[in-house]
Amino acid sequence: MRNIAVLVSGRGTNLQAIIDAVESGYIKANISVVISSRKDALALQRAREHGIEAIYIDPQEFWRDKEHKEEKRVEYDKKIIAELEKRNVDLVILAGYMLMLSPYFVQKYKNRIMNIHPALLPSFPGVNAQKQALEYGVKYTGATVHFVDAEMDHGPIIIQDVVPVYDDDTEETLSERILEKEHKIYVEAVKLFMEGKLRVENRKVKILK
Ligand code: GRF
């Protein structure tokens, strides 16, 4: 059985979708560990409730030392990597993880780190993607699962799905509609990975039959 690690910072609804898919046998893999950059993340609690080991790794030091930010970022990532290596992790899933990964981390787990973004990349990268979409006035937005590279919200796209934007949408209603799609496509992407059906060729991800 292959091993998954999930990196989180918040409420963990995407984590929950993946836990459910693993428990039902839809995804054939083991969630070995959940690692949070925030102590009070609801995601940690969700993991523990399902008997999954959940660890908080404090990023304070790396945040405080502005002068050596990049070195500190690598130091922080090495702490995470040590936990991944202990558990022979095959796939790293970012699920509402609010820190950028260092190029060191990304290189070490090349094409083995996934992220979910609440917009149709390359539109609206970064934070508040739903708000950006509303303010821009797009009629459709959506969700994207992609492999992670050293740039933010940038790596090869695995799956996207479209969500309509309605005239009376607020950030909350739109986010809610996008979230439903996020949960579906994230589970699909992880399943495809575990079945060996994703082939990355430069920027393109081919889904094998
Ligand atoms: C999601 O909207 C995800 O796309 C973004 O952060 C949010 C995390 O939500 N990267 P949750 O913690 O999975 O509920």
Side-chain angles (χ1 to χ4, degrees):
M1 196 78 106
R2 297 216 281 163
N3 294 317
I4 297 173
V6 188
L7 270 50
V8 297
S9 305
R11 67 191 162 169
T13 65
N14 279 287
L15 166 68
Q16 188 68 56
I18 289 158
I19 292 175
D20 294 346
V22 166
E23 284 187 349
S24 73
Y26 188 69
I27 293 174
K28 290 184 181 48
N30 173 43
I31 304 176
S32 312
V33 66
V34 170
I35 300 175
S36 176
S37 65
R38 288 190 54 167
K39 199 174 187 173
D40 58 355
L42 179 58
L44 286 173
Q45 206 174 308
R46 289 182 193 265
R48 290 180 187 129
E49 273 165 18
H50 289 263
I52 299 165
E53 206 184 340
I55 317 174
Y56 159 63
I57 304 181
D58 185 355
Q60 280 307 322
E61 199 191 328
F62 134 63
W63 276 339
R64 250 183 257 124
D65 191 344
K66 297 268 183 281
E67 209 182 312
H68 304 98
K69 200 158 192 262
E70 289 317 307
E71 291 101 298
K72 290 286 171 192
R73 188 195 301 282
V74 174
E75 248 173 57
Y76 184 74
D77 283 357
K78 281 185 174 167
K79 290 185 194 166
I80 297 177
I81 290 168
E83 299 298 334
L84 305 183
E85 287 180 341
K86 259 190 243 169
R87 296 168 180 84
N88 289 318
V89 165
D90 300 290
L91 176 67
V92 180
I93 296 175
L94 309 187
Y97 183 67
M98 295 309 286
L99 304 179
M100 277 290 288
L101 301 185
S102 60
Y104 176 81
F105 193 157
V106 170
Q107 194 50 44
K108 210 163 163 73
Y109 283 83
K110 190 162 193 265
N111 296 335
R112 295 197 293 144
I113 310 171
M114 286 183 187
N115 181 43
I116 181 107
H117 184 72
L120 292 174
L121 291 173
S123 291
F124 315 125
V127 290
N128 301 326
Q130 302 93 334
K131 186 161 177 252
Q132 292 183 53
L134 271 181
E135 284 174 357
Y136 197 93
V138 291
K139 301 295 185 192
Y140 291 93
T141 182
T144 303
V145 182
H146 64 94
F147 283 115
V148 172
D149 66 10
E151 286 176 57
M152 196 192 335
D153 300 327
H154 176 269
I157 291 170
I158 304 166
I159 306 184
Q160 295 186 295
D161 207 347
V162 176
V163 172
V165 181
Y166 302 132
D167 288 347
D168 59 354
D169 261 331
T170 61
E171 210 183 319
E172 288 68 37
T173 58
L174 180 59
S175 299
E176 191 51 45
R177 197 174 311 118
I178 295 172
L179 199 59
E180 276 176 40
K181 292 276 170 137
E182 290 185 34
H183 298 161
K184 289 200 181 112
I185 65 173
Y186 221 173
V187 165
E188 283 313 309
V190 175
K191 181 180 166 68
L192 288 167
F193 181 95
M194 289 304 163
E195 290 171 345
K197 290 186 178 163
L198 299 179
R199 187 188 299 149
V200 189
E201 291 172 9
N202 302 316
R203 265 214 64 84
K204 291 189 187 151
V205 180
K206 293 211 171 125
I207 298 180
L208 308 177
K209 293 278 173 248

mmCIF file of all heavy atoms in Angstrom, residues 10-14 95-96 116-118 130 179 182, ligand 1:
data_model
loop_
_atom_site.group_PDB
_atom_site.id
_atom_site.type_symbol
_atom_site.label_atom_id
_atom_site.label_comp_id
_atom_site.label_asym_id
_atom_site.label_seq_id
_atom_site.Cartn_x
_atom_site.Cartn_y
_atom_site.Cartn_z
ATOM 1 N N GLY A 10 -5.656 24.583 7.932
ATOM 2 C CA GLY A 10 -6.958 25.108 8.321
ATOM 3 C C GLY A 10 -8.014 24.061 8.621
ATOM 4 O O GLY A 10 -7.751 23.052 9.268
ATOM 5 N N ARG A 11 -9.209 24.308 8.064
ATOM 6 C CA ARG A 11 -10.364 23.492 8.487
ATOM 7 C C ARG A 11 -10.336 22.069 7.927
ATOM 8 O O ARG A 11 -10.951 21.159 8.471
ATOM 9 C CB ARG A 11 -11.662 24.204 8.098
ATOM 10 C CG ARG A 11 -11.829 24.270 6.626
ATOM 11 C CD ARG A 11 -12.899 25.135 6.098
ATOM 12 N NE ARG A 11 -12.520 25.309 4.702
ATOM 13 C CZ ARG A 11 -13.241 25.811 3.780
ATOM 14 N NH1 ARG A 11 -14.438 26.269 4.062
ATOM 15 N NH2 ARG A 11 -12.803 25.887 2.537
ATOM 16 N N GLY A 12 -9.705 21.848 6.765
ATOM 17 C CA GLY A 12 -9.479 20.471 6.307
ATOM 18 C C GLY A 12 -10.653 19.761 5.670
ATOM 19 O O GLY A 12 -10.785 18.543 5.812
ATOM 20 N N THR A 13 -11.490 20.477 4.915
ATOM 21 C CA THR A 13 -12.582 19.749 4.247
ATOM 22 C C THR A 13 -12.056 18.910 3.076
ATOM 23 O O THR A 13 -12.598 17.842 2.791
ATOM 24 C CB THR A 13 -13.707 20.685 3.757
ATOM 25 O OG1 THR A 13 -13.206 21.555 2.746
ATOM 26 C CG2 THR A 13 -14.312 21.488 4.897
ATOM 27 N N ASN A 14 -11.005 19.385 2.417
ATOM 28 C CA ASN A 14 -10.414 18.554 1.356
ATOM 29 C C ASN A 14 -9.746 17.316 1.965
ATOM 30 O O ASN A 14 -9.853 16.216 1.411
ATOM 31 C CB ASN A 14 -9.416 19.365 0.527
ATOM 32 C CG ASN A 14 -10.125 20.212 -0.518
ATOM 33 O OD1 ASN A 14 -10.627 19.706 -1.520
ATOM 34 N ND2 ASN A 14 -10.220 21.517 -0.260
ATOM 35 N N ALA A 95 -3.479 20.574 1.205
ATOM 36 C CA ALA A 95 -4.925 20.773 1.310
ATOM 37 C C ALA A 95 -5.184 21.964 2.228
ATOM 38 O O ALA A 95 -5.296 21.815 3.439
ATOM 39 C CB ALA A 95 -5.596 19.506 1.844
ATOM 40 N N GLY A 96 -5.179 23.147 1.616
ATOM 41 C CA GLY A 96 -5.342 24.358 2.409
ATOM 42 C C GLY A 96 -4.078 24.651 3.204
ATOM 43 O O GLY A 96 -4.128 25.224 4.293
ATOM 44 N N ILE A 116 -4.505 21.892 -4.496
ATOM 45 C CA ILE A 116 -5.816 22.266 -5.032
ATOM 46 C C ILE A 116 -5.947 23.774 -4.946
ATOM 47 O O ILE A 116 -5.576 24.380 -3.943
ATOM 48 C CB ILE A 116 -6.959 21.553 -4.275
ATOM 49 C CG1 ILE A 116 -8.333 21.923 -4.851
ATOM 50 C CG2 ILE A 116 -6.966 21.874 -2.794
ATOM 51 C CD1 ILE A 116 -8.978 20.854 -5.634
ATOM 52 N N HIS A 117 -6.463 24.358 -6.022
ATOM 53 C CA HIS A 117 -6.637 25.814 -6.037
ATOM 54 C C HIS A 117 -8.080 26.141 -6.443
ATOM 55 O O HIS A 117 -8.586 25.573 -7.418
ATOM 56 C CB HIS A 117 -5.649 26.451 -7.012
ATOM 57 C CG HIS A 117 -5.723 27.943 -6.993
ATOM 58 N ND1 HIS A 117 -5.243 28.679 -5.928
ATOM 59 C CD2 HIS A 117 -6.264 28.835 -7.865
ATOM 60 C CE1 HIS A 117 -5.472 29.963 -6.163
ATOM 61 N NE2 HIS A 117 -6.091 30.084 -7.327
ATOM 62 N N PRO A 118 -8.727 27.085 -5.735
ATOM 63 C CA PRO A 118 -10.147 27.357 -6.019
ATOM 64 C C PRO A 118 -10.371 28.344 -7.160
ATOM 65 O O PRO A 118 -11.099 29.320 -7.014
ATOM 66 C CB PRO A 118 -10.650 27.904 -4.678
ATOM 67 C CG PRO A 118 -9.469 28.560 -4.069
ATOM 68 C CD PRO A 118 -8.261 27.800 -4.537
ATOM 69 N N GLN A 130 -11.499 33.217 -5.035
ATOM 70 C CA GLN A 130 -12.937 33.356 -5.297
ATOM 71 C C GLN A 130 -13.313 34.836 -5.361
ATOM 72 O O GLN A 130 -14.097 35.249 -6.215
ATOM 73 C CB GLN A 130 -13.740 32.664 -4.186
ATOM 74 C CG GLN A 130 -13.435 31.182 -4.008
ATOM 75 C CD GLN A 130 -12.360 30.902 -2.973
ATOM 76 O OE1 GLN A 130 -11.493 31.729 -2.708
ATOM 77 N NE2 GLN A 130 -12.405 29.717 -2.390
ATOM 78 N N LEU A 179 -16.088 24.608 -3.606
ATOM 79 C CA LEU A 179 -15.593 23.591 -2.671
ATOM 80 C C LEU A 179 -16.134 22.192 -2.991
ATOM 81 O O LEU A 179 -15.405 21.198 -2.910
ATOM 82 C CB LEU A 179 -15.953 24.001 -1.241
ATOM 83 C CG LEU A 179 -15.159 23.340 -0.122
ATOM 84 C CD1 LEU A 179 -13.662 23.616 -0.238
ATOM 85 C CD2 LEU A 179 -15.663 23.822 1.238
ATOM 86 N N GLU A 182 -14.072 20.936 -5.643
ATOM 87 C CA GLU A 182 -12.711 20.659 -5.153
ATOM 88 C C GLU A 182 -12.639 19.241 -4.594
ATOM 89 O O GLU A 182 -11.734 18.476 -4.909
ATOM 90 C CB GLU A 182 -12.324 21.646 -4.039
ATOM 91 C CG GLU A 182 -12.096 23.059 -4.493
ATOM 92 C CD GLU A 182 -11.605 23.942 -3.350
ATOM 93 O OE1 GLU A 182 -10.877 23.474 -2.466
ATOM 94 O OE2 GLU A 182 -11.980 25.131 -3.335
HETATM 95 C C1 GRF B 1 -9.627 25.369 -0.410
HETATM 96 O O1 GRF B 1 -10.470 26.317 -0.976
HETATM 97 C C2 GRF B 1 -8.441 25.109 -1.288
HETATM 98 O O2 GRF B 1 -8.742 25.218 -2.643
HETATM 99 C C3 GRF B 1 -7.498 26.198 -0.889
HETATM 100 O O3 GRF B 1 -7.660 26.330 0.495
HETATM 101 C C4 GRF B 1 -8.966 25.882 0.864
HETATM 102 C C5 GRF B 1 -8.776 24.797 1.888
HETATM 103 O O4 GRF B 1 -9.986 24.367 2.432
HETATM 104 N N1 GRF B 1 -6.141 25.867 -1.307
HETATM 105 P P1 GRF B 1 -10.020 23.101 3.387
HETATM 106 O O5 GRF B 1 -9.021 23.374 4.512
HETATM 107 O O6 GRF B 1 -9.644 21.901 2.579
HETATM 108 O O7 GRF B 1 -11.414 23.053 3.900
#
